[in-house]
Amino acid sequence: DAGVIQSPRHEVTEMGQEVTLRCKPISGHDYLFWYRQTMMRGLELLIYFNNNVPIDDSGMPEDRFSAKMPNASFSTLKIQPSEPRDSAVYFCASSWDREYEQYFGPGTRLTVT
Amino acid sequence: AQRVTQPEKLLSVFKGAPVELKCNYSYSGSPELFWYVQYSRQRLQLLLRHISRESIKGFTADLNKGETSFHLKKPFAQEEDSAMYYCALSGLDNFGNEKLTFGTGTRLTIIP
């Protein structure tokens, strides 16, 4: 298995633009997590899905952020409109169980200017 | 390429016994290493980072560049230490961008 796949690896955009981050979890994993990593706040859980259903989105910072999982092999995290403070590395992770090891993707580095 | 290996998926330790969670890394430069912890039904949170050389909740971790290890240790395990532990490495990729890589985690269970 190729592991968790994220795209793009780097994204640079201007303030106000829409940004879409993509994730393909490991096949067979029922849980998918979106995290944001910044130097100031460390790693923060934004939202997680179980069997494509959002379970906990309390970490989503504001309404500009939305996440979907239309099927078991694909999820998106969208920011609209983007702001400079959204600049961070966004990680996707998947696991077969909520409390077991999570496999992290390589991350997407987002820079909003 | 950078890699983090946590060889133990599961580790059970009796209360009061010493704990050691293993983490080995592969990185050509000078790494920055972290331990994250996830307690049951809680979010993943930063436990400690090697650069600060601090002790959190009795845990310490020493970076051993010769052995490329960053094992997490605690002399006397407590029941509340039961959790998932992730080792992570921050380094620069080929483009000079900071990259964070996680191990697959170790589930620590403290036996009363």
Side-chain angles (χ1 to χ4, degrees):
Chain A
D1 197 311
V4 176
I5 299 172
Q6 290 186 249
S7 65
R9 295 294 306 276
H10 304 275
E11 177 80 33
V12 181
T13 191
E14 293 183 347
M15 181 173 63
Q17 297 297 307
E18 178 180 294
V19 175
T20 299
L21 311 181
R22 298 173 178 79
C23 175
K24 182 181 187 305
I26 292 173
S27 178
H29 283 188
D30 294 331
Y31 285 83
L32 183 140
F33 307 81
W34 281 102
Y35 292 90
R36 177 173 66 177
Q37 165 86 11
T38 63
M39 291 305 294
M40 291 294 292
R41 300 171 69 92
L43 194 70
E44 303 172 279
L45 176 64
L46 301 177
I47 184 172
Y48 78 91
F49 295 82
N50 178 27
N51 292 322
N52 313 338
V53 177
I55 304 300
D56 182 359
D57 65 354
S58 57
M60 297 285 262
E62 45 196 280
D63 292 344
R64 298 184 297 106
F65 286 70
S66 63
K68 293 182 179 180
M69 193 166 185
N71 58 62
S73 60
F74 183 66
S75 176
T76 60
L77 177 68
K78 186 177 292 186
I79 309 172
Q80 167 62 21
S82 58
E83 297 182 4
R85 60 195 171 113
D86 301 331
S87 297
V89 180
Y90 291 81
F91 287 95
C92 177
S94 70
S95 72
W96 65 271
D97 186 274
R98 173 68 180 93
E99 295 187 355
Y100 281 81
E101 62 268 21
Q102 297 177 28
Y103 290 74
F104 284 80
T108 295
R109 175 174 293 278
L110 173 65
T111 303
V112 183
T113 60
Chain B
Q2 55 192 58
R3 179 179 292 179
V4 177
T5 303
Q6 292 180 250
E8 303 145 325
K9 287 191 175 182
L10 303 171
L11 181 65
S12 295
V13 174
F14 283 101
K15 178 182 173 182
V19 176
E20 182 178 66
L21 301 174
K22 291 185 170 55
C23 172
N24 289 92
Y25 67 90
S26 173
Y27 180 64
S28 58
S30 183
E32 186 171 347
L33 287 142
F34 308 81
W35 275 99
Y36 284 84
V37 60
Q38 183 176 28
Y39 300 102
S40 180
R41 286 184 283 279
Q42 294 186 29
R43 303 177 181 188
L44 200 65
Q45 55 188 289
L46 180 65
L47 180 62
L48 56 79
R49 55 176 61 188
H50 94 270
I51 200 168
S52 59
R53 302 186 65 82
E54 57 194 345
S55 172
I56 303 295
K57 299 184 179 182
F59 283 97
T60 58
D62 291 320
L63 176 61
N64 186 324
K65 291 188 177 181
E67 296 182 357
T68 59
S69 67
F70 188 57
H71 303 326
L72 183 68
K73 299 178 183 179
K74 185 170 181 176
F76 307 104
Q78 298 172 284
E79 288 187 60
E80 54 264 34
D81 296 330
S82 294
M84 277 293 296
Y85 291 81
Y86 292 90
C87 183
L89 179 153
S90 177
L92 299 178
D93 64 16
N94 292 336
F95 302 98
N97 297 312
E98 184 184 343
K99 179 180 174 182
L100 187 64
T101 302
F102 286 86
T104 51
T106 298
R107 169 167 291 283
L108 175 65
T109 301
I110 306 302
I111 305 167

